[in-house]
């Protein structure tokens, strides 16, 4: 309990041959948030290994939701995994209840997973060249129980009809990394 975990070369935590009575888990923090000059004041620097993890709370996982952030990309990812996670909850896009706001090079997108597994991963993506490097953009997505919508700088850039209710998850919220 009460640990700060950062700068690891592999998985941040791994329990080997333990059982639930051997340890307690709580109030742990992952990463040391780094700041840079923001649009106004300071901003959170997110490079994939830094960022913030927030423990689960029901208020962070409503059935209908909106997530938004101001973002500035210094460059587009060129190789390997090109998606960069702005904010997401419930692990990854194949996990039941996952939601996330994401960039993929010059595109802005959002994911929902309703039902679990790859087949139930739902996405909505802007066209290519929607984002610019070294420009502050307001990025957002919303889900109203019907449509997954993505907004960039105040205008809708993508919509996917879903028409299925979400099931809330229980895993942490991550800002600036997955």
């Amino acid at each position: 309990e009460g640990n700060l975990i950062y700068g690891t070369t592999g998985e941040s935590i791994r329990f080997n041959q333990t059982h639930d009575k051997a340890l307690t888990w709580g109030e742990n923090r992952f990463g040391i948030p780094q700041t840079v000059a923001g649009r106004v004041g300071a901003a959170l620097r997110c490079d994939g290994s830094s960022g913030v993890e927030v423990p689960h709370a029901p208020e962070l996982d409503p059935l209908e939701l909106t997530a938004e952030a101001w973002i500035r990309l210094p460059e587009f990812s060129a190789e390997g995994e090109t998606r960069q996670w702005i904010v997401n909850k419930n692990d990854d896009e194949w996990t039941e209840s996952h939601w996330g706001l994401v960039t993929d090079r010059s595109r802005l997108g959002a994911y929902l997973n309703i039902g679990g597994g790859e087949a139930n991963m739902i996405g909505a993506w802007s066209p290519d060249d929607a984002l610019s490097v070294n420009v502050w953009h307001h990025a957002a997505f919303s889900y109203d129980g019907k449509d997954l919508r993505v907004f960039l700088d105040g205008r809708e850039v993508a919509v996917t009809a879903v028409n299925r209710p979400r099931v809330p998850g229980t895993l942490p919220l991550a800002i600036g990394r997955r």
Side-chain angles (χ1 to χ4, degrees), residues 41-98:
L44 180 65
R45 179 179 182 267
C46 302
D47 61 9
S49 61
S50 64
V52 174
E53 184 172 290
V54 180
H56 167 73
E59 297 82 7
L60 298 174
D61 218 344
L63 298 179
E64 298 177 7
L65 64 109
T66 299
E68 61 182 311
W70 282 97
I71 62 171
R72 184 181 66 82
L73 303 171
E75 62 185 12
F76 297 133
S77 298
E79 298 177 10
E81 174 60 82
T82 57
R83 295 176 300 172
Q84 296 177 322
W85 298 82
I86 300 166
V87 60
N88 69 97
K89 187 161 186 327
N90 299 316
D91 201 26
D92 64 54
E93 66 276 20
W94 291 9
T95 301
E96 167 74 74
S97 304
H98 176 267

Side-chain angles (χ1 to χ4, degrees), residues 113-178:
N113 191 302
I114 301 176
E118 183 178 7
N120 289 302
M121 177 184 68
I122 302 154
W125 288 93
S126 74
D128 289 338
D129 299 323
L131 297 168
S132 301
V133 295
N134 293 316
V135 172
W136 283 99
H137 291 287
H138 185 257
F141 87 90
S142 68
Y143 183 62
D144 62 2
K146 297 177 184 168
D147 296 316
L148 175 60
R149 298 177 183 278
V150 178
F151 300 88
L152 179 61
D153 298 326
R155 64 185 200 347
E156 185 176 278
V157 293
V159 61
T160 300
V162 179
N163 296 311
R164 295 183 350 202
R166 285 189 71 248
V167 175
T170 60
L171 298 173
L173 172 93
I175 302 170
R177 64 181 172 87
R178 181 168 74 175

